[in-house]
Amino acid sequence: MDREIGRDPANNPAHTRILDDRGVGAGGDGQRDLEGERDEGDAGQHGAADAADGLDIAVDGADQFTPTGLDLIKGLGRCALREMVVARLARRFVIVVGPGKRVTRLGEAFADGRPMRLPVEVVPFAEPFVARGIERLGLEPEPWCVDGRRGLTDNGNHVLDCRMDAVDDPAGLDRAIRGLPGVVGTGFFLAMADRVLEGDASFRLIAEHVRGAVAGGVNATSETGPRGRQPR
């Protein structure tokens, strides 16, 4: 029998599914507020973070991944910062992707020739400075807009979609971008995923990539502690 991998309700690759040890799930969809819209309030935001703390597993999608190292680019659904928080709070982080997401190097163009874009979340008043800094790093930032208006993340920030080429040192580029005052986060999720489940267009599992896998299927990395996770 074919093994199938999950599809989120909106077919949104940035939808996050969070499972606790009772199998209870909670998800967050991708594109969010426009200028002038507001979140439901700080209490709800804090409650979501509290709910994520101590989860056994967080399951999410990715825009690109490398089978070596399981490095990811995420955030084209505009929830990268919150997805990062959930991933670090959960004991295990599992990625589910469809075809066309596996690359040799992060930043490679899509199969149809479209360039990859790295989302960078920025504090609005610092955006002009951040954009110039990103240009000096060799990327081409473009403001994220929805229907001609600047989009806002869940956290009330702007996003610069940065056109890029394949990179040999994503960690170095990530550090350089995060070092710019006003940057809240980037779409790089490096050395964080424990497992990537790769499916075909019919959502049948075609490959399973495991962090630290060696001959015999032994996982060489502990499930708790590494990659900035909360100690248990």
Side-chain angles (χ1 to χ4, degrees), residues 10-190:
N11 198 25
N12 183 346
H15 180 95
T16 305
R17 187 73 179 169
I18 309 167
L19 303 177
D20 65 13
D21 55 5
R22 299 165 298 167
V24 177
D29 292 324
Q31 295 195 359
R32 303 297 302 177
D33 304 334
L34 301 177
E35 287 282 4
E37 295 183 0
R38 295 290 181 267
D39 288 328
E40 295 181 355
D42 290 343
Q45 295 177 27
H46 295 161
D50 288 343
D53 191 14
L55 291 174
D56 283 345
I57 183 171
V59 182
D60 202 352
D63 302 300
Q64 283 191 340
F65 83 96
T66 60
T68 302
L70 302 191
D71 291 332
L72 316 170
I73 288 179
K74 291 175 44 58
L76 293 179
R78 313 308 173 184
C79 296
L81 180 59
R82 295 193 180 192
E83 291 170 353
M84 177 73 74
V85 172
V86 170
R88 291 192 181 279
L89 288 173
R91 293 186 177 92
R92 289 173 292 171
F93 185 36
V94 176
I95 296 295
V96 179
V97 297
K101 303 299 181 72
R102 186 200 305 191
V103 294
T104 302
R105 294 183 297 167
L106 293 180
E108 290 179 5
F110 293 102
D112 61 6
R114 290 179 296 121
M116 184 62 193
R117 299 179 186 273
L118 176 72
V120 177
E121 186 168 341
V122 301
V123 176
F125 81 88
E127 182 180 317
F129 168 80
V130 171
R132 290 193 294 271
I134 289 174
E135 288 175 347
R136 288 193 292 269
L137 293 172
L139 283 70
E140 300 177 23
E142 295 181 1
W144 167 49
C145 296
V146 178
D147 296 329
R149 303 169 64 192
R150 289 305 307 271
L152 291 180
T153 68
D154 290 321
N155 309 291
N157 295 316
H158 288 174
V159 173
L160 293 171
D161 287 328
C162 303
R163 180 172 175 169
M164 63 186 301
D165 296 320
V167 293
D168 293 319
D169 182 16
L173 180 58
D174 187 46
R175 286 192 300 270
I177 296 174
R178 290 177 182 275
L180 298 171
V183 170
V184 178
T186 81
F188 282 127
F189 283 56
L190 306 177

